Amino acid sequence: MNFDFAYVLEVIPAIMKYVPLTLFMSILAMAVAIVIGILLAVMKESKKSVLRGFTSVYLSFFRSVPTLVLLFIIYYGLPQLFPSLTAMEAVTAAVIGLGIKQAAFLAEIFRAAIISVNKGQLEAGLSVGMSKFQTAYRIILPQAAENALPGTGNTFISLIKETSLAFSLGVTELFAEAKMMASSSYKFLESYLAVALVYWVLIIIYSYLQRVLEEKLSKPYRT
């Protein structure tokens, strides 16, 4: 068996310095996805058929197109139509691509979370003199946030993993560095195992933080 565990331990510190970049892209892409996802969720429930139609097309397209194809369209394709985009950095293209794609999934998560809250609570809030905004902000949205958190957390986990696709645009991040080390040492198993372990630890840490947040949000509703 030709496996060098010592090399795995050598690769891990070398690629750990790219963890901040991976988290930076993940968090920014998640912010983009949340903003667009909320807008899409609202538009999906709109009474205007034009908005509902646009949302349906958006969701259908971005949920169907592979992430790698979308990144190539944004980074390599759009500058062909808009020359000013040739100055766009690869990290920016990756964040935009990941964000607008995951927004299509978050939109359905947010919409389902809002719908899951009993409509009677809106009526109850109005009956005690609260405005629709106050009822939504104080009663409906906190419950919707709790319902949406598991699905939103899974989306963020997907984003962390999908940042590895940024290497295809020339971004040197976790996977790209491991790939270069594998190519120079010919120790492919050790290099890719090292990056897999780093991603695993990142997901474990985030999953723990998510559980803590879920428990905090659910406290007011415990009997």
Side-chain angles (χ1 to χ4, degrees):
M1 182 177 178
N2 186 18
F3 180 78
D4 188 354
F5 184 73
Y7 189 72
V8 175
L9 299 179
E10 182 181 335
V11 172
I12 289 177
I15 64 177
M16 282 293 292
K17 62 183 179 181
Y18 295 100
V19 168
L21 177 59
T22 293
L23 294 178
F24 174 77
M25 289 191 293
S26 301
I27 293 171
L28 278 188
M30 191 65 181
V32 172
I34 289 174
V35 172
I36 298 177
I38 292 173
L39 291 176
L40 291 172
V42 173
M43 291 167 62
K44 185 72 173 179
E45 293 299 307
S46 173
K47 296 180 179 179
K48 296 183 179 180
S49 58
V50 175
L51 294 180
R52 293 198 308 272
F54 171 81
T55 304
S56 297
V57 172
Y58 185 104
L59 298 183
S60 176
F61 179 78
F62 287 105
R63 292 172 71 178
S64 302
V65 177
T67 305
L68 187 59
V69 174
L70 181 60
L71 294 181
F72 274 41
I73 289 174
I74 293 173
Y75 190 61
Y76 296 111
L78 289 183
Q80 182 177 332
L81 296 177
F82 308 99
S84 60
L85 294 180
T86 54
M88 178 171 54
E89 295 184 359
V91 171
T92 302
V95 168
I96 293 173
L98 295 174
I100 62 177
K101 179 176 176 60
Q102 293 301 331
F105 296 94
L106 283 181
E108 292 292 357
I109 293 172
F110 294 156
R111 188 173 72 90
I114 294 173
I115 293 175
S116 68
V117 179
N118 194 312
K119 291 183 179 180
Q121 299 197 41
L122 174 60
E123 298 172 357
L126 296 175
S127 68
V128 296
M130 297 173 66
S131 66
K132 285 187 176 180
F133 176 80
Q134 289 174 323
T135 305
Y137 180 74
R138 296 180 181 179
I139 299 176
I140 296 177
L141 289 183
Q143 296 180 67
E146 181 187 3
N147 296 337
L149 185 57
T152 304
N154 288 335
T155 299
F156 186 65
I157 288 174
S158 295
L159 271 175
I160 292 176
K161 294 183 292 185
E162 286 192 333
T163 56
S164 62
L165 295 174
F167 92 95
S168 63
L169 305 183
V171 178
T172 303
E173 39 69 61
L174 279 174
F175 180 67
E177 179 66 14
K179 188 174 185 296
M180 288 187 287
M181 294 186 72
S183 299
S184 61
S185 66
Y186 294 101
K187 295 182 179 181
F188 297 98
L189 177 58
E190 292 87 344
S191 299
Y192 295 139
L193 178 60
V195 76
L197 291 174
V198 172
Y199 276 113
W200 187 23
V201 171
L202 288 177
I203 301 306
I204 288 174
I205 294 173
Y206 172 74
S207 297
Y208 169 76
L209 295 176
Q210 181 180 323
R211 284 197 303 272
V212 172
L213 181 58
E214 287 178 355
E215 291 178 1
K216 184 176 180 180
L217 290 176
S218 64
K219 276 186 179 180
Y221 308 107
R222 293 177 184 172
T223 55

